[in-house]
Amino acid sequence: MTAARTPQLNDEDLELLSAYIDSRLSAAERAALEERLSREPALRAILDELRATVSALRSLEPARPPRSFTLDPAQVRPRAGPFSLFTGLLPLAGPLVAVLVCAVLAVTVVGRGGLGGAPAAA
């Protein structure tokens, strides 16, 4: 058994047909497309398929969600965990590390006798 196959459509023609079905074409675009539809039976067949698809989709009953997906505040409040003490101190971690790096750098430079000093005699 051989099924009738419609030719593949490029994206521009598909967009054009979709806009035609939705009445979103200008008068000139609509006239040009209707002229093409009268000359191209394959394009007319695809338009009929698209119309049937739109009609079938519009006749479906809207799907209802199985439950409500709204969250109440208790569900989104952060829970206290083993690291909850540290989360309050986390904003201070960056500045504390910067101070420690400066302190280590200062101790290293002072321990060598300055930045541009000559090496000490042995």
Side-chain angles (χ1 to χ4, degrees):
M1 182 165 142
T2 307
R5 293 191 49 147
T6 55
Q8 291 294 319
L9 199 61
N10 64 38
D11 291 340
E12 292 83 19
D13 284 343
L14 190 59
E15 288 293 323
L16 193 62
L17 290 175
S18 179
Y20 180 76
I21 290 171
D22 295 337
S23 299
R24 291 185 290 126
L25 294 180
S26 67
E29 291 171 324
R30 184 177 196 82
L33 180 60
E34 287 172 348
E35 195 272 324
R36 266 188 74 194
L37 288 168
S38 67
R39 285 185 291 117
E40 301 176 30
L43 190 63
R44 171 60 84 176
I46 293 172
L47 175 65
D48 293 339
E49 281 184 25
L50 285 174
R51 281 186 171 153
T53 302
V54 168
S55 176
L57 289 173
R58 287 185 178 155
S59 69
L60 291 175
E61 185 177 321
R64 293 190 187 351
R67 64 176 178 83
S68 173
F69 288 96
T70 58
L71 300 175
D72 73 28
Q75 291 175 313
V76 293
R77 187 174 353 139
R79 297 183 203 126
F83 301 106
S84 61
L85 172 67
F86 300 114
T87 56
L89 299 176
L90 197 57
L92 299 176
L96 180 61
V97 168
V99 168
L100 288 175
V101 167
C102 289
V104 168
L105 185 62
V107 167
T108 304
V109 169
V110 170
R112 290 188 182 172
L115 286 175

